[in-house]
Amino acid sequence: MSDTYPNDLLYTEDHEWARQESKGGNVVTVGISQFAVEQLGDVTQVDLPREGEVLKAHDAFGSVESVKAVSDLFAPVSGKVVKVNTTLRDSPEYVNEDPYDGGWMIQIEVSNPEELKKLMDSATYETFLKENED
């Protein structure tokens, strides 16, 4: 199951993931997990913030629209948006096809690295999903 939830990512209870771009670096790439993608179904639109916006951990930073629902996206950490995956504007299907690479959403320059310690590793996230199954 580790292919479904890569070990190099950290996860939130809201099903976002964060990948540190360099060891000890302060930039993280953010997207949604395979679980979130499966819950949403076919993604038809992705609404993302502008570069330069400042986010607080757990605040909504955008939304994903699918054939089933519109879901808010929540920042896993606080910081400034330094890059946005603009490809998703025209090709939101990348979120479904490749949620951990081509379907990434934003990059955040982390303002409080301590917040990363509050996120779950892949094993903890899988346990969280099992414990919260309907």
Side-chain angles (χ1 to χ4, degrees):
M1 212 174 180
S2 59
D3 286 352
T4 310
Y5 307 109
N7 292 327
D8 64 331
L9 305 180
L10 297 169
Y11 300 87
T12 70
E13 291 186 2
D14 297 311
H15 312 294
E16 281 80 22
W17 56 260
R19 175 189 292 126
Q20 280 187 281
E21 284 310 310
S22 59
K23 203 76 178 139
N26 67 341
V27 173
V28 295
T29 300
V30 177
I32 61 172
S33 73
Q34 183 67 42
F35 176 84
V37 169
E38 290 164 8
Q39 297 302 302
L40 286 166
D42 289 337
V43 173
T44 56
Q45 187 177 338
V46 180
D47 225 1
L48 298 172
R50 290 190 176 87
E51 288 181 15
E53 275 191 47
V54 176
L55 306 174
K56 282 197 168 102
H58 314 295
D59 281 0
F61 70 81
S63 63
V64 175
E65 196 169 317
S66 72
V67 290
K68 293 183 184 176
V70 177
S71 297
D72 284 336
L73 298 165
F74 298 97
V77 293
S78 302
K80 184 169 82 174
V81 177
V82 292
K83 195 169 182 186
V84 175
N85 188 352
T86 54
T87 306
L88 297 181
R89 282 192 201 127
D90 297 324
S91 303
E93 67 275 6
Y94 284 135
V95 174
N96 290 100
E97 293 166 6
D98 195 5
Y100 301 117
D101 285 312
W104 68 274
M105 297 182 176
I106 60 173
Q107 288 188 327
I108 300 172
E109 188 176 332
V110 181
S111 59
N112 181 0
E114 287 296 307
E115 291 174 347
L116 290 166
K117 294 177 182 170
K118 296 177 182 165
L119 303 178
M120 295 178 271
D121 63 19
S122 59
T124 307
Y125 182 63
E126 285 184 48
T127 301
F128 168 78
L129 292 177
K130 285 184 184 115
E131 288 172 353
N132 291 281
E133 281 177 338
D134 291 330

